[in-house]
Amino acid sequence: MTNTKKRAEDTCPLVYQCRLSLSTRTVNHLADLLRRHLKAIRSRWRILPPGKIA
């Protein structure tokens, strides 16, 4: 038996989502940070806008 770092075929990593109650100011701040990051990495598009991601 050998150790490999490859995933088995037809598998995907688990993704967990959660929702937290945050103030509008906090969400707007996070959305601004996301916008700056996406602009810095020259991301052309995302399915969700930064406000929804935040």
Side-chain angles (χ1 to χ4, degrees):
M1 184 153 122
T2 60
N3 290 334
T4 63
K5 297 203 180 215
K6 290 184 180 179
R7 293 187 320 200
E9 290 183 25
D10 298 325
T11 63
C12 63
L14 295 175
V15 176
Y16 295 98
Q17 294 182 357
C18 68
R19 292 185 181 197
L20 302 173
S21 297
L22 299 173
S23 69
T24 303
R25 184 176 177 189
T26 302
V27 173
N28 288 337
H29 178 70
L30 182 55
D32 288 339
L33 291 173
L34 285 167
R35 278 187 205 95
R36 279 190 241 145
H37 174 71
L38 294 173
K39 188 173 183 178
I41 65 170
R42 297 181 177 164
S43 176
R44 294 178 188 256
W45 61 275
R46 294 278 181 213
I47 293 173
L48 293 174
K52 290 283 187 177
I53 295 171

